[in-house]
Amino acid sequence: MEELKYPIGKFIMPVSVTEKHIQEWINDIAIFPTQLANTLNDIDQNLLAASYRVNGWSIKQIVHHLADSHMHSYIRMKLAITQNTPTINPYDENDWSVLTDANNYNINASVLIIKGLHERWTTFLQSLSMNDLDKSFYHPEHKKTFSIKENIGSYAWHGKQHLAHIQLAITQPVYN
């Protein structure tokens, strides 16, 4: 079950984050929309209901979640740059995954959101100085402060992780 939940492994933050890490992570964020679009290109519409594991999200839920989650991350980073360690507003991703829009078979709107969002996000991230990367926000649900650099790494991983889930659901579909 752990291999299905984390097919690329859990995100591990390096002890010391280098400029090379940051550039690799920003590149991962930049290329993610193309990787997602290529993976979903010509997908059989019936597969959108498939999951990568029993009781896991369907492909359509994952795609809509990616748009929601990545929007939140981008906004949290902008808040961290413009405010002094702001407390962010958490959301329950599982509650969001059962809403009507997250179960919509038309994933095109979310794919377009991800494309535009990642273009802006990449531009924003490339403009940050090394000092900016140490700015942070407070997550009350986790009772933890997250730096921008930590969030960049986490979201580079997040895209890859869910892309692997989608690929698993395409090659080994599970219908819940």
Side-chain angles (χ1 to χ4, degrees), residues 9-57:
K10 292 183 179 181
F11 175 66
I12 299 170
M13 182 70 175
V15 175
S16 178
V17 176
T18 65
E19 279 190 57
K20 184 178 179 195
H21 288 116
I22 297 299
Q23 290 312 310
E24 287 174 359
W25 292 338
I26 292 172
N27 185 61
D28 289 341
I29 289 169
I31 65 173
F32 176 73
T34 301
Q35 293 172 324
L36 179 64
N38 289 343
T39 299
L40 297 171
N41 191 30
D42 297 325
I43 189 169
D44 180 325
Q45 292 297 300
N46 294 323
L47 273 176
L48 294 177
S51 178
Y52 57 97
R53 66 179 173 91
V54 173
N55 296 323
W57 286 344

Side-chain angles (χ1 to χ4, degrees), residues 6 19 40 49 53 71 79 104 106 120 140 158 169 175:
Y6 301 102
E19 279 190 57
L40 297 171
R53 66 179 173 91
M71 278 190 281
L79 288 170
N104 186 340
N106 185 355
R120 286 196 59 198
H158 186 259
Y175 292 92

Side-chain angles (χ1 to χ4, degrees), residues 15-163:
V15 175
S16 178
V17 176
T18 65
E19 279 190 57
K20 184 178 179 195
H21 288 116
I22 297 299
Q23 290 312 310
E24 287 174 359
W25 292 338
I26 292 172
N27 185 61
D28 289 341
I29 289 169
I31 65 173
F32 176 73
T34 301
Q35 293 172 324
L36 179 64
N38 289 343
T39 299
L40 297 171
N41 191 30
D42 297 325
I43 189 169
D44 180 325
Q45 292 297 300
N46 294 323
L47 273 176
L48 294 177
S51 178
Y52 57 97
R53 66 179 173 91
V54 173
N55 296 323
W57 286 344
S58 67
I59 292 173
K60 67 183 180 228
Q61 287 174 304
I62 295 169
V63 173
H64 295 310
H65 161 74
L66 285 162
D68 293 340
S69 179
H70 290 202
M71 278 190 281
H72 273 86
S73 179
Y74 175 53
I75 290 167
R76 289 169 180 175
M77 289 183 191
K78 289 182 82 164
L79 288 170
I81 288 296
T82 60
Q83 299 176 20
N84 185 20
T85 315
T87 299
I88 58 93
N89 188 23
Y91 72 104
D92 187 322
E93 60 188 25
N94 286 314
D95 285 349
W96 284 39
S97 75
V98 296
L99 295 173
T100 302
D101 65 324
N103 284 285
N104 186 340
Y105 282 90
N106 185 355
I107 59 173
N108 294 335
S110 286
V111 172
L112 286 171
I113 287 170
I114 292 165
K115 183 180 185 306
L117 174 66
H118 278 245
E119 187 175 317
R120 286 196 59 198
W121 198 4
T122 299
T123 299
F124 170 72
L125 293 173
Q126 289 171 336
S127 75
L128 300 178
S129 69
M130 289 306 283
N131 286 339
D132 288 336
L133 298 174
D134 289 325
K135 293 183 179 182
S136 59
F137 59 84
Y138 178 73
H139 197 303
E141 193 173 78
H142 295 290
K143 296 179 177 43
K144 183 178 177 205
T145 299
F146 292 91
S147 69
I148 289 177
K149 65 184 169 192
E150 182 176 8
N151 213 42
I152 294 170
S154 176
Y155 272 82
W157 170 87
H158 186 259
K160 289 178 183 180
Q161 174 73 4
H162 282 307
L163 193 61

